[in-house]
Amino acid sequence: MRLKQSARKREKMTKDRELENVLKHYTIPVINPGIRKHQITKLSADIQDMDYLPPQSFTGQLLTQLSFISGWIWLAQAGMLFLLFLCFFRADPFQVNMMMFCLASALSLILTCEMSKSFRAGAWEMETSCRYNLAQIFLFRLCILFGGDFLVLTAALVAYRMADGPFWQFCLFTLLPFFLSSAISLCALRRIGNRCNSAAITAIPLFSVNLAAWTTPLMEKGLSHLGLSLAEATPAITLLALALLLYHAGRLCTRAHYLSESSYAMQK
Amino acid sequence: MELRIENLTKQYGSFLAVNDLSAVLTCGVYGLLGANGAGKTTLMRLLCDIQLPTTGTISYDGQDIREYGDRYRNVLGYLPQDFGYYPDFTAMKFLLYMSAIKGLSKGYARQRSLELLDEVGLLQVRDKKIKTFSGGMKQRLGIAQAMLNDPKVLILDEPTAGLDPKERVRFRNLISSFSRNKIVLLSTHIVSDVEYIAGDILVMKKGKFIHEGKPDEIIHTVDGMVWECRVANGEVPSLEMKYNIGNMRTEGETTILRIISETKPLENAVNAAPNLEDLYLYYFSDEEDHVI
């Protein structure tokens, strides 16, 4: 064992001596002090950034933001699903459609309340000045909330289909009011910005979802003039409402400045 | 490190909130002094890229802050005048939330939040909801969030509003210890705060800087305009109507007045050494009330 160790040591020493002999033929390069200083500065800055500002993936930031979404939202959604499944199979078709309509209103209301909380709390200005600014925070929140809504709506659709409800009625009583009222709310939020008021922002989805309900007979009448039935046209109209919602969501999440200046000008 | 403001203008309709401002801010504490409506908040919002200027540019180390984008926001700390918070968050959760959107790593965020809560005297109540906090406590929490990312540019809009004298002293010390190698700009109309901590003062009126410089230099602009005199108590109301009175102290049947006037107000008036408060009154006596 000892012999082996000393042989290894001797071998290492020989290698070191060989390396020294090779290096003797080279001169140490002179490093330009300017380049050296620049490299040190750059590396120091990089190290400082790495220390507490690590690059974060979109998913990573999304998961971080998940813990800051109001807890009542998940409770409300779970409660809604529970009630839906509890009552669903005992109700007649009219009651089922009404329940779906209420579900759409509630989902839209939840979305609007959570999306507007920065403005309502007055934290928008502080958030705008952060690394992930308000537009990005809106994007994270929308992704999380749409994810939750997708799960709830999918569960509702499954239940609806199990109760032999036609897909177009699901679109008419659930998806269309939800998409439409959410689109109107996000549009309003983008335009109202920092002038956002709790009462107004709650009223918008409730009003628009009811507007969707009131206009259904008119829509039916209008479609009949075009030779179309509600069953034929509803899925397409729902898709249009979805496109509108995505458009307004996109506009909200890409805006650089949220301060409503027109009101400010009037104040001054 | 420098923050350069060049020909900055912000117009709301026909109202000029910021009027062709130019300045270069380097490391140090700057106090922005002005009456309400002078354009302080608008200037701060422009510096934080919360608003777009009508004309002009703001550059950080030679690059436009809008082009810098999130890299600029990485080095920025901001406390707005209307500091909003989520009432259901605890102080600790709020700082962790702010750390998350400032892009700080979780471990660092926790450590830094605890450090700052300790510095602003909120460590004991870190698990209490913000809605239970007093105004001063909320304000201290706001100051803590602005410092989370150890910003190189710290902008504080009325940071001492709502703080009691003890808290204001603590705040001054905190800023003094924090400001080394950093640009700190704080706006206030509490003159004494600026006097104690600001190395440079920017006096703003109607969207323009009317004076810039060290406190002592600026104070000299009102040399010979501050007077002290003793008058009978009955004369005070008429003198109040006529002159800009900075201070009055009643002593029996007479009152000692401190008058800010370009000309000698009374025969027995003697010149007094001016202070920043006199300067404020000289420039802003025609504007809204302030706190000294």
Side-chain angles (χ1 to χ4, degrees), chain B residues 6 17 22 31 33 46 51 55 71 93 103 106 110 141 151-152 172-173 178 198 205 209 215 247 254 257 260 272-273:
Chain B
E6 282 174 303
S22 293
L33 208 58
L46 292 171
Q51 268 183 294
T55 57
R71 281 182 300 142
K93 190 176 176 183
K106 273 186 186 164
R110 182 160 283 279
L141 187 64
K152 292 188 172 63
R172 287 175 199 161
N173 295 338
F178 180 81
K205 189 174 184 178
F209 289 145
N247 196 25
T254 58
L257 296 180
I260 294 101

Side-chain angles (χ1 to χ4, degrees), chain A residues 151-220:
Chain A
L151 290 178
V152 174
L153 289 171
T154 308
L157 176 63
V158 170
Y160 198 83
R161 297 293 287 154
M162 279 165 70
D164 293 330
F167 179 69
W168 73 268
Q169 277 192 9
F170 180 76
C171 289
L172 183 67
F173 291 106
T174 317
L175 294 182
L176 184 59
F178 171 67
F179 291 157
L180 209 58
S181 61
S182 301
I184 294 171
S185 296
L186 294 186
C187 174
L189 197 61
R190 186 167 57 83
R191 289 185 177 277
I192 298 171
N194 61 311
R195 287 175 294 158
C196 190
N197 162 292
S198 292
I201 214 69
T202 314
I204 291 168
L206 293 179
F207 174 74
S208 45
V209 89
N210 279 296
L211 188 74
W214 296 331
T215 50
T216 306
L218 286 175
M219 193 166 78
E220 193 173 7

Side-chain angles (χ1 to χ4, degrees), chain A residues 87-211:
Chain A
C87 315
F88 212 81
F89 298 102
R90 293 178 193 169
D92 62 44
F94 177 76
Q95 285 173 327
V96 166
N97 286 336
M98 282 304 102
M99 274 160 49
M100 299 308 285
F101 189 71
C102 291
L103 176 78
S105 314
L107 286 181
S108 180
L109 188 63
I110 287 173
L111 180 84
T112 312
C113 285
E114 188 62 17
M115 288 304 293
S116 62
K117 74 175 183 183
S118 290
F119 289 127
R120 284 185 293 120
W124 67 275
E125 211 175 328
M126 208 163 44
E127 289 172 341
T128 308
S129 67
C130 291
R131 180 189 187 180
Y132 295 102
N133 62 7
L134 195 56
Q136 287 160 305
I137 294 168
F138 277 148
L139 180 65
F140 296 134
R141 281 186 194 156
L142 266 181
C143 289
I144 294 167
L145 293 170
F146 278 163
D149 292 340
F150 177 76
L151 290 178
V152 174
L153 289 171
T154 308
L157 176 63
V158 170
Y160 198 83
R161 297 293 287 154
M162 279 165 70
D164 293 330
F167 179 69
W168 73 268
Q169 277 192 9
F170 180 76
C171 289
L172 183 67
F173 291 106
T174 317
L175 294 182
L176 184 59
F178 171 67
F179 291 157
L180 209 58
S181 61
S182 301
I184 294 171
S185 296
L186 294 186
C187 174
L189 197 61
R190 186 167 57 83
R191 289 185 177 277
I192 298 171
N194 61 311
R195 287 175 294 158
C196 190
N197 162 292
S198 292
I201 214 69
T202 314
I204 291 168
L206 293 179
F207 174 74
S208 45
V209 89
N210 279 296
L211 188 74

Side-chain angles (χ1 to χ4, degrees), chain A residues 69-91:
Chain A
I69 294 283
S70 311
W72 66 270
I73 283 179
W74 311 124
L75 282 175
Q77 293 199 341
M80 275 189 295
L81 270 184
F82 177 72
L83 281 175
L84 198 72
F85 279 99
L86 207 67
C87 315
F88 212 81
F89 298 102
R90 293 178 193 169

Side-chain angles (χ1 to χ4, degrees), chain B residues 255-282:
Chain B
T255 303
I256 299 169
L257 296 180
R258 192 175 173 92
I259 300 173
I260 294 101
S261 164
E262 285 175 13
T263 54
K264 194 174 183 178
L266 295 165
E267 266 310 301
N268 66 340
V270 288
N271 256 142
N275 56 32
L276 207 54
E277 190 183 307
D278 300 318
L279 175 120
Y280 190 102
L281 287 170
Y282 178 71

